[in-house]
Amino acid sequence: MLPADSQLSELYYIFCILTTVIFTMDKGSVLTHILKSNDMSTLLGGELPVSVISNNKYISPLTAEAQAADRNGEEDPPSLDCAIHTALSGEIKSVILVGPEGSGKTTALVKLVMGWAKGEHLQKFSYVFHFRFRELNSLDGALSLETLLLHHHSHAPPESVPLLLQKPEDVLFVFDDLDRYKHSLDPSVHTLCSDPTQAASVPCLVASLLHGSLMKGATFVVATRPTSGLEFLSGTRVEVLGFLKPQREAYFNGFFTDPAVAKKALTHMERTLGFYDVCASPKFCWTVCSVYKSLMDAGAKLPETLSQLCVDILVHLIQTLSLNNASSRDLVLALGKLASHCFLDQHSSCTKEEMDSFGFQQFLNSVGVFLHVEGDQSDVFSFRSQLMQEFLLAASFFLDKSPSEGVEKMLEKHKGCVKFLDFFMSGLSEPLQRRPLENVLGELNSDRIVDFKSWFKSSSEKTLKECYKERQHRCFHLLHQAQSESLVKEIITPSARVGISYGDLSLQDCVALSYVVTCLGEMEQLNLYGTKNLTEEQAERLIPAMSISQKIILSGSSVSTGAVHHLASALSRGLTKELDLSNSRLGDEKFKILCAGLRDCKLHTLKLLMCRLTEGICEDLAPVLTSATSQLSVLDMRSNQIGDQGFTTMCKALHSPHCKLQELMLQNCELTAASMETLSAAVCSGQSQLRKVGLTHNVIGDRGVETLCKSLQHPLCKLQSLNFFDSELTGACCPHLMEALMSEHCSLTELDLSVNDLGQEGALLLCQALSRPGCPMEKLGLKRCKLTEAVFKELSSVLRSGTSQLKSLIVGINAVGDQGVKHLWDAVAHPNCLLEELDVEMTGLTDACVEDMCAAIRASKTLKSLELRNNTLTDVSVPALVEVMQDSPNMKEMNLKYNEFSEEVFDMLDECDTIRY
């Protein structure tokens, strides 16, 4: 006799051996059961999972994490199979797969179970139960879990079930189609049970299993489309994406035996459909391949749009049924009614009684190509494809000859339920696209087509006057579906608002926008401002639009390296004259790529403000500037780390006779006086076309100004505008400026010295130079230069002299008060004064100056703009200011912001639209 403990151990050992043998034998039954699947394969249903797996055509779908990995350039993005196995190999007890229709969830689950049955993986589970929720819907009455397992999995040996129920940790439950389940998973509506031998309703058993009260410790994998039932499930959620481009390529190569045919089919799909989310669906890929093969074998043209594809699918399905035109028409009308009913009632399935009410009595043997037929009595029907469900709704609307609701009401009724309905209606409204369908169904209702076109045109006209980007995108998508150049030109009139920002485009948006622009033939402005990540694929689709756009705005955008390659290509062969990449975080490497397209293009203006460029790019920029074909005349490189060395390299290009640069903006580029010598030499070379240079926020200093002043006196220097705003200057630079301005060769018309400590002595020297007869100066900036009343008095004298050409004077933020500015009012009133713009912001003005100011405005024949911000004018002055602005037709603007006005005078200020406050 063995001790009691030894007897128990031996009995347990024997039990384990027996159960292992039973379960090992049972795996073969599981595999046989799966291989005998009686599902029906149709053009809309996708290839059967068993067929895909058995014929070694299986390609694992990807998870949402794979999309991020793909964007980051990772070579092996995580697959769905890997995600499931990783989750189940640990301690996780519940995995929920969530993905759209046809994303590969069902096939992945079948492969999971088959792999277990073959002993390939997940052998820690002694048994796997595979359920489909749609099959559980038909089970009525009370059952125990034990009975349910035996009933639903007849291949399971009856003697094994009681044993496995005692070891739930060895059991894996696989549930598919949660979105097709008609019962609630809310635990509060069920009395959850824990005894597997206790009889309960099937909904109660399912809820008890998934919420852990029944078979506690078992593992679950649940697959579903997005559905409200998910809120009642907890576990590790895996977002199923489907296929990215590499998986689609592998799929097409597996479908078509001829590699050349596979490449042709895939290339066409990526060009015409690859930007739609549905293309991530393996089921959709199978449908597309099947349609393409049929069309290729017949020598027919492949579809150019989603609408055309659905036309080809429907024609193919109708032809397989061998119905006459009248019967085919009645079938599509019935399918359209069913589609609308399912959308509006948010039911994924329909009963036989409901089917009869829609007119399906004579078609019940034919609907299998369009619908799933389920239930013990084949009494439950549901659409195999939501995409086709929407297309059938659109087609039936245009087929229906009976009087009913108009297009707008019909679209509004289905709003929120559908995604492509208006796409399909737009496609079917064009004769060439609907003709194949009319050949098998008869002509569509012309009145409804006219109604749609009228709605489309009126709604588009309204949309294109507004600034709602999403609505404009939708309009472009509908035009793309219609594939009618004449329709594009009819709707996108010259007055249409097509210049709003199209930042953050989807790939689908890029295709539609590019199509519309291409139809128009030319675009004044392609505004992509604020695009967070312009990818290589997006830029490739935008090449046609970029190539015929006069101006491309990518400011505030993030542009990938691949996208820059396509941008460079578009520039080199296009019409673009202005490119704005300001604040795009371009960087040196991407700029080097861009330069390849800049050497031979029509670009006149290039804006690179805050692009994180360094002195390294100047070696690449110099050949661009000296290219014989370059047209670049305006270059804005503000707020980049160019430095003296980089700027010196750029200046060498100015010596070239091919360099056409006229304006160069270098604000905040870390320049010093050291590089001014090179600039000075370049502008005096006789080759330079440079007219305007901006050096704001650089440490130029007095020595740098002195160097440039020498060049201003050179007869070959053509500089007309210099900006030294905040360049650390003092009054010591003014003698050199005076000398330059007194020179007969000086052609300077604009000079900004604002935010520098020139002081009274230096400013008076400038005034002396301005008094020279023939001095060309037209615009002078002296804001916050520590000017005094004496300087204002001298400026007044210059303005009244009759020799001054000054039209713009900026002397704000100099605290001279009413008395100092009065000198300027006297000048403005003088007939010799030519001022059009006067800036006296923050000069200490009070109400006491208003009388003189108004008199000057009335007397002036030239003044158009007056800047009065940040002074201490009060409500008392408002009537006089409003009156003078209303009485002075020359005045275009008076800025009174940040004065001491109360809300009581706002209505009065509103009476004058030329006053800003």
Side-chain angles (χ1 to χ4, degrees), residues 820-852:
V821 179
K822 185 180 186 307
H823 297 293
L824 296 184
W825 301 141
D826 292 342
V828 168
H830 197 281
N832 287 339
C833 180
L834 303 178
L835 273 187
E836 297 177 2
E837 174 187 290
L838 177 60
D839 182 342
V840 285
E841 174 191 0
M842 204 172 175
T843 51
L845 297 179
T846 70
D847 295 327
C849 77
V850 172
E851 184 177 348
D852 292 327

Side-chain angles (χ1 to χ4, degrees), residues 498-547:
V498 194
I500 65 171
S501 171
Y502 297 105
D504 291 339
L505 297 171
S506 67
L507 189 58
Q508 184 179 337
D509 295 331
C510 292
V511 171
L513 175 60
S514 206
Y515 170 77
V516 168
V517 174
T518 304
C519 287
L520 294 174
E522 189 173 330
M523 187 83 161
E524 182 179 338
Q525 176 174 287
L526 182 63
N527 192 348
L528 304 174
Y529 166 79
T531 302
K532 291 180 181 176
N533 181 29
L534 186 66
T535 67
E536 178 177 3
E537 199 169 10
Q538 288 172 331
E540 183 179 10
R541 301 304 178 106
L542 284 171
I543 282 180
M546 292 192 290
S547 297

Side-chain angles (χ1 to χ4, degrees), residues 536-564:
E536 178 177 3
E537 199 169 10
Q538 288 172 331
E540 183 179 10
R541 301 304 178 106
L542 284 171
I543 282 180
M546 292 192 290
S547 297
I548 56 177
S549 295
Q550 294 287 335
K551 180 178 181 180
I552 300 174
I553 300 176
L554 278 163
S555 55
S557 301
S558 174
V559 186
S560 69
T561 300
V564 175

Side-chain angles (χ1 to χ4, degrees), residues 244-253 256 259-274 285 288-289 292 296 302 541:
L244 292 176
K245 195 169 183 177
Q247 289 71 43
R248 291 200 288 267
E249 182 177 4
Y251 188 90
F252 273 65
N253 287 333
F256 295 97
V261 174
K263 183 177 180 180
K264 177 183 177 182
L266 179 67
T267 301
H268 184 84
M269 177 187 177
E270 293 301 327
R271 179 177 65 80
T272 59
L273 303 172
C285 289
V288 170
C289 287
Y292 280 12
M296 286 174 163
L302 297 182
R541 301 304 178 106

